[in-house]
Amino acid sequence: MTAATHSSLFPQDSDGSQFVAPPRDADAVLAGLDPEQREVATALHGPVCVLAGAGTGKTRAITHRIAYGVRAGILQPASVLAVTFTNRAAGEMRGRLRQLGAGGVQARTFHSAALRQLQYFWPKVVGGELPRLLERKVQLVAESAARCRIRLDRNELRDVTSEIEWAKVTQTVPADYPAAVAKSLRDAPRDPAEIGQIYAMYEQLKRDRSVIDFEDVLLLTVGILQDRHDIADQIRSQYQHFVVDEYQDVSPLQQRLLELWMGDRENLCVVGDASQTIYSFTGATPDHLLNFRTRHPGATMVKLVRDYRSTPQVVHLANGLLNQAKGRAAEHRLELISQRDAGPEPVYTEYADEPAEAEGTARRIRDLIAAGVPAGEIAVLYRINAQSEVYEQALADAGVPYQLRGAERFFERQEVREAGAALRGAARFGGNDSLLDDVVDLPSQVRAVLSTKGWTTEPPTGSGAVRDRWESLAALVRLAEDFVRAKPEATLGDLVAELDERAAAQHAPTVQGVTLASLHAAKGLEWDAVFLVGLTEGMMPITYAKTDEQVEEERRLLYVGVTRARLHISLSWALSRAPGGRASRRPTRFLSGLRPGSSAPGTRGAGAAAGGAADRGRRKRRGPVLCRVCGTTLTDAGEMKLMRCEGCPSDMDEGLYERLREWRSDQAKQLGQPAYCVFTDKTLMAIAESVPGDDGELSRISGVGGRKLERFGADVLAICAGEELVGEDEES
């Protein structure tokens, strides 16, 4: 068994090759599996429970299991239903099954499978068409709150919407919501009685308008299967073998649906890891996984512990985190065994404040990229999305491209839809298109077509919508280049077919840039280098994690973050939020006894993390950043950049600001970089407001570090002084 290969645009075989021919027979499907994976693949009868640690090849094991059963003639493809939790995971599973010669197998999310059944049986059970599906429930929740005369701000609205979703997947009706919250020790964002009111009104408005939401899809399917035995029998006659991935994340409602699909049969294979249960706030529970053997006494149990993703150093840290865990999930933890060569040790860094932490992280990322690590193979992971801004700014200042995870789906973006239509037209009528007269190879054809939609050989300067559009088109160009390397004889029509298939699976190509994501959003992904930031008490564990079980889930969340790393893992924290603030923060308790210089839990700390004390000795302490208009201490990153409160009046010299922007644009063109790599807009605004007269004044502006001062300082000071730069046009 080879080490796990990097995630790719296209499915790969175990040796990393792409688009290989399907295995010649059933036995060939088993080739390359390790002993435990082979045990999973050949256990085709009765209930099977696979406890699979992070990076142990669980998707490989279960797809080879299905393919082996199909190729051996034991399973009929149409009789197998494999369910998972994301469209991306389902798309990846379908792709692997196709490659293994089992393309007729259904691999879907719970919601997708239930929706298909609901659409098919609704006319027979109820009559007419299925009610319209509500894509976003936030607006209806807002209206429900208004009708109840309850005011919600934007954050409360989002939280109340999540509470309604939790209530529905735990099969809690509005009248029972307050009692359910009290019983579960759930920390409701508002008075539970008020949320119960809003929930009841929301359900009423849906009925009045004949719409359903995503949770209703599961609830209605469950209702039909419970009430109509003839329909339940029809589904059971079609699907006779079930596979459930990420079983630790099933909600009570999903478990009930699974039981109704199965009836009294036991041809079920579940795969999960209790140590990766991080979605309990949505109703997920590992109890179904942990109780599997109790419900199915004769079940085959297999453990996958060979980690092909991460180095021994990363795996040692991950195991160390779980060794300190408590509770029922901890009793079933898996001790991973790395199958990779040794790599670098984890890096622990303590910073004086959050901006220093972000700047230090950006510097280290820039160094990794310079050393050959692709930007797309690096991630910065944090506990909450609000932490992203300071890292966005720091990466922009360092000239490092990045992407925020959780943005609009790739194939739903307007520019991608337009590009797809243009490529489809070119594939159909390309013989009459003069645009393609002088291009022969597939990537050149794609570049030619996309050039009419805004793609250029060089990216546009600056950030924003124009840059985002270009990045999407550039991702399609890279996809075409990868596709033709894998299939040299491929035509434009072949590529369009592949794009359509990927769009249906929501399997997007990777935009090249450092990933910024919350720890929850990182689940299921992996990178060469991972930076876990903001690891302080109050953030990890989060301050509202009060019960023992809530704290343990926070530990599991950090474990998920660590196990995303293949090679490099960096962990950092800041002693205060803002420069000059009181150094009152402490690094997370979860690293006690793991980071060098720290004591095991329950003993007094022996010192700072490796590098922490030395770094503090070398670093100069910053004083507080004060608003230069009213003198208030600034804590917001954007305000610190401007050196004034957002509400204080601006005395910016508009003419100076425009001259600085023109100069920045020229510099960016000369350097072949986006404009923000020279200075961001807010840094230019700060310069135009303060009009520095010397190096000292310029260096005090946030975003003007020593490197930029040395490179651009003379020009900026000359522009501020109203001087004409050497080489400027006469008219400027």
Side-chain angles (χ1 to χ4, degrees):
M1 179 70 184
T2 59
T5 53
H6 288 200
S7 55
S8 167
L9 294 176
F10 302 103
Q12 294 188 331
D13 198 20
S14 59
D15 62 358
S17 59
Q18 297 173 326
F19 294 106
V20 296
R24 63 186 179 278
D25 54 30
D27 287 340
V29 172
L30 302 178
L33 298 182
D34 67 30
E36 294 79 23
Q37 291 171 341
R38 182 182 286 256
E39 186 179 354
V40 173
T42 54
L44 294 173
H45 300 288
V48 178
C49 180
V50 183
L51 300 177
T56 58
K58 66 179 178 63
T59 304
R60 179 180 177 81
I62 58 175
T63 51
H64 281 67
R65 178 182 188 272
I66 295 169
Y68 176 71
V70 169
R71 300 295 295 276
I74 299 170
L75 304 177
Q76 295 302 311
S79 73
V80 180
L81 178 60
V83 286
T84 186
F85 284 81
T86 66
N87 287 318
R88 188 180 189 279
E92 181 185 357
M93 195 177 290
R94 285 195 295 271
R96 293 198 191 195
L97 289 169
R98 274 201 318 273
Q99 190 180 11
L100 292 168
V105 173
Q106 291 290 314
R108 297 185 172 276
T109 64
F110 272 101
H111 282 90
S112 172
L115 182 59
R116 288 191 79 202
Q117 294 171 14
L118 199 58
Q119 289 169 331
Y120 182 81
F121 290 112
W122 187 267
K124 180 178 179 179
V125 176
V126 181
E129 290 188 0
L130 183 70
R132 180 174 61 86
L133 188 62
L134 191 65
E135 291 289 339
R136 293 182 71 250
K137 58 173 69 74
V138 169
Q139 292 172 334
L140 199 58
V141 173
E143 184 179 343
S144 302
R147 291 199 176 201
C148 295
R149 299 187 176 180
I150 298 172
R151 294 189 61 179
L152 300 176
D153 63 29
R154 188 167 62 180
N155 290 330
E156 287 177 322
L157 179 59
R158 183 187 61 202
D159 290 342
V160 169
T161 301
S162 297
E163 284 300 291
I164 291 174
E165 291 172 352
W166 173 82
K168 298 186 76 165
V169 300
T170 55
Q171 303 174 80
T172 303
V173 298
D176 294 341
Y177 171 78
V181 168
K183 183 178 179 181
S184 65
L185 302 177
R186 192 172 177 82
D187 192 10
R190 295 275 300 215
D191 178 1
E194 288 184 337
I195 295 178
Q197 264 186 285
I198 297 169
Y199 179 15
M201 180 60 69
Y202 169 78
E203 292 297 315
Q204 182 62 51
L205 290 178
K206 283 201 292 102
R207 286 192 293 272
D208 293 345
R209 296 172 189 181
S210 296
V211 295
I212 60 175
D213 60 27
F214 278 99
E215 290 71 40
D216 290 330
V217 170
L218 300 183
L219 285 163
L220 289 169
T221 306
V222 164
I224 287 174
L225 296 181
Q226 285 180 158
D227 295 342
R228 293 289 299 267
H229 298 293
D230 57 328
I231 290 175
D233 289 341
Q234 190 174 338
I235 288 177
R236 291 166 192 162
S237 68
Q238 177 180 353
Y239 296 119
Q240 297 165 20
H241 198 97
F242 296 86
V243 177
V244 184
D245 193 13
E246 303 288 0
Y247 193 56
Q248 78 278 353
D249 289 334
V250 294
S251 68
L253 180 56
Q254 289 164 332
Q255 175 64 23
R256 181 62 186 138
L257 178 58
L258 177 63
E259 291 167 354
L260 288 165
W261 280 340
M262 291 184 59
D264 58 3
R265 294 163 304 169
E266 290 211 317
N267 285 328
L268 170 65
C269 174
V270 301
V271 188
D273 179 7
S275 296
Q276 295 189 66
T277 305
I278 59 172
Y279 297 112
S280 67
F281 61 92
T282 67
T285 170
D287 288 348
H288 306 299
L289 176 67
L290 299 177
N291 295 335
F292 191 84
R293 179 165 264 174
T294 303
R295 292 198 315 275
H296 305 278
T300 299
M301 304 290 291
V302 184
K303 292 183 179 181
L304 301 183
V305 295
R306 300 176 197 242
D307 188 321
Y308 297 96
R309 175 188 300 159
S310 305
T311 63
Q313 287 74 15
V314 174
V315 167
H316 178 72
L317 173 58
N319 286 337
L321 280 172
L322 291 189
N323 285 340
Q324 300 176 6
K326 303 179 181 68
R328 188 161 180 233
E331 294 171 5
H332 296 265
R333 61 177 171 264
L334 299 167
E335 188 84 10
L336 299 178
I337 304 169
S338 176
Q339 305 298 296
R340 295 193 57 173
D341 293 336
E345 292 292 333
V347 175
Y348 302 86
T349 312
E350 185 175 277
Y351 292 95
D353 51 67
E354 286 184 8
E357 184 180 10
E359 290 164 12
T361 300
R363 281 195 302 272
R364 291 206 56 228
I365 288 173
R366 195 175 59 209
D367 292 343
L368 280 176
I369 294 172
V373 180
E377 289 293 350
I378 302 173
V380 178
L381 307 181
Y382 32 76
R383 177 60 181 84
I384 59 173
N385 286 319
Q387 291 172 275
S388 76
E389 182 184 6
V390 67
Y391 291 93
E392 293 178 57
Q393 188 67 60
L395 290 171
D397 286 347
V400 175
Y402 65 86
Q403 57 175 331
L404 279 168
R405 177 149 182 86
E408 184 182 23
R409 288 174 174 171
F410 183 83
F411 286 103
E412 292 176 3
R413 296 177 191 171
Q414 180 70 24
E415 65 270 21
V416 175
R417 291 201 301 268
E418 292 173 358
L423 291 170
R424 194 170 292 107
R428 191 173 300 164
F429 307 112
N432 301 318
D433 192 339
S434 59
L435 189 69
L436 302 180
D437 284 349
D438 299 324
V439 292
V440 179
D441 64 287
L442 176 58
S444 297
Q445 291 176 331
V446 173
R447 292 187 201 103
V449 173
L450 297 189
S451 66
T452 67
K453 298 297 175 184
W455 180 82
T456 55
T457 54
E458 294 296 324
T461 58
S463 56
V466 174
R467 178 61 183 243
D468 290 344
R469 179 183 179 89
W470 183 90
E471 289 285 6
S472 297
L473 298 177
L476 289 174
V477 171
R478 287 194 300 273
L479 190 150
E481 293 167 350
D482 281 2
F483 188 68
V484 81
R485 274 196 294 270
K487 297 183 73 173
E489 304 303 319
T491 65
L492 195 54
D494 294 331
L495 176 65
V496 168
E498 177 68 20
L499 289 176
D500 288 343
E501 195 168 282
R502 291 164 65 81
Q506 286 300 336
H507 185 192
T510 304
V511 175
Q512 286 304 307
V514 172
T515 298
L516 296 179
S518 71
L519 286 162
H520 283 102
K523 178 76 165 62
L525 303 176
E526 58 186 83
W527 296 269
D528 279 347
V530 169
F531 290 79
L532 300 173
V533 299
L535 300 180
T536 59
E537 287 289 314
M539 192 60 74
M540 177 58 65
I542 198 78
T543 185
Y544 50 74
K546 295 183 172 64
T547 67
D548 289 345
E549 181 46 46
Q550 289 169 341
V551 169
E552 286 305 313
E553 182 152 337
E554 293 288 299
R555 187 195 306 276
R556 295 194 295 268
L557 188 56
L558 182 57
Y559 171 80
V560 166
V562 169
T563 56
R564 299 311 93 197
R566 300 191 191 103
L567 184 62
H568 303 277
I569 183 76
S570 298
L571 307 96
S572 63
W573 57 92
L575 297 177
S576 68
R577 180 185 174 193
R582 191 162 62 90
S584 58
R585 291 177 170 177
R586 292 180 294 118
T588 174
R589 71 191 76 169
F590 299 145
L591 296 180
S592 296
L594 298 176
R595 57 187 177 90
S598 67
S599 300
T603 61
R604 296 185 62 82
D615 287 349
R616 289 198 304 279
R618 286 193 297 268
R619 271 197 313 271
K620 196 181 288 184
R621 270 228 188 266
R622 301 185 184 192
V625 178
L626 305 179
C627 173
R628 53 192 170 74
V629 179
C630 69
T632 301
T633 299
L634 302 176
T635 57
D636 178 77
E639 292 181 344
M640 287 192 287
K641 179 75 71 174
L642 291 174
M643 298 178 69
R644 65 172 171 82
C645 302
E646 201 72 52
C648 284
S650 168
D651 53 357
M652 183 174 71
D653 183 330
E654 296 286 351
L656 173 57
Y657 179 64
E658 288 307 316
R659 289 196 299 276
L660 287 167
R661 281 174 58 87
E662 290 173 10
W663 165 82
R664 181 182 67 172
S665 178
D666 290 340
Q667 288 292 321
K669 287 177 184 175
Q670 291 175 28
L671 297 170
Q673 294 180 340
Y676 67 74
C677 292
V678 180
F679 287 119
T680 62
D681 287 345
K682 281 196 173 178
T683 298
L684 290 189
M685 289 175 65
I687 293 171
E689 288 185 357
S690 58
V691 195
D694 56 36
D695 283 356
E697 292 177 0
L698 180 57
S699 67
R700 283 194 287 274
I701 294 174
S702 180
V704 183
R707 183 173 62 87
K708 291 190 178 183
L709 181 66
E710 183 178 348
R711 192 168 193 177
F712 305 123
D715 280 3
V716 170
L717 291 172
I719 294 170
C720 289
E723 299 172 9
E724 184 175 302
L725 296 181
V726 177
E728 278 193 318
D729 294 336
E730 292 291 320
E731 298 176 350
S732 62

